[in-house]
Amino acid sequence: MGHGILAEDVGTLLDKFSGHDATVVGRNNASNGPDKLINIDGYQTAVQCKYCKSAVSSVNDCFENGSFRYFDPNDNPMQIEVPKDQYYKAIEEMKNKIQNGQVHGVSDPEQAYNIIRQGKYYIQSSKESSKKQERLNQLHMIPQRLL
């Protein structure tokens, strides 16, 4: 299990603890689909989670052939959740992409604040949790009679 998938699970759990109805939906591997859905103030929000090594990588991973690739059923950009420590740099990177005309239907760079969502998890915490999960998974592969 990669740290991005684990971050989706933990982030969804933290969203629930914050009082939001949140569900992981990205396990179906739908092309350019959301990783989770969050109900905020009665509105269902599609969220794609990007927990890459840097803010630039997290934002760049949302583009294919130079164009933003994550849109909800109403053709609005999905929210992109990035690690908490990458948020401000990701905002600046998304503003640049909007200014360069790379986000269909969006011309105001300030809309980056509506597209980029600050995760509740830091990238380093995500990596550490993933390593712990890998160790636990390895222990489960040891035949019980050997324990």
Side-chain angles (χ1 to χ4, degrees), residues 3-23:
H3 64 270
I5 291 172
L6 189 62
E8 289 171 21
D9 291 341
V10 171
T12 301
L13 188 60
L14 293 172
D15 288 328
K16 288 180 179 185
F17 287 152
S18 298
H20 300 295
D21 179 19
T23 308

Side-chain angles (χ1 to χ4, degrees), residues 55-99:
V56 171
S57 295
S58 292
V59 172
N60 282 342
D61 202 43
C62 298
F63 291 79
E64 189 171 72
N65 299 320
S67 295
F68 189 74
R69 61 189 179 122
Y70 296 110
F71 292 90
D72 68 17
N74 297 319
D75 205 31
N76 297 312
M78 275 187 217
Q79 283 194 342
I80 305 301
E81 182 176 296
V82 298
K84 190 170 189 160
D85 48 335
Q86 293 181 7
Y87 177 72
Y88 294 105
K89 179 69 176 158
I91 290 285
E92 293 307 313
E93 188 66 21
M94 185 59 75
K95 283 182 177 182
N96 291 334
K97 301 281 189 186
I98 293 169
Q99 286 175 327

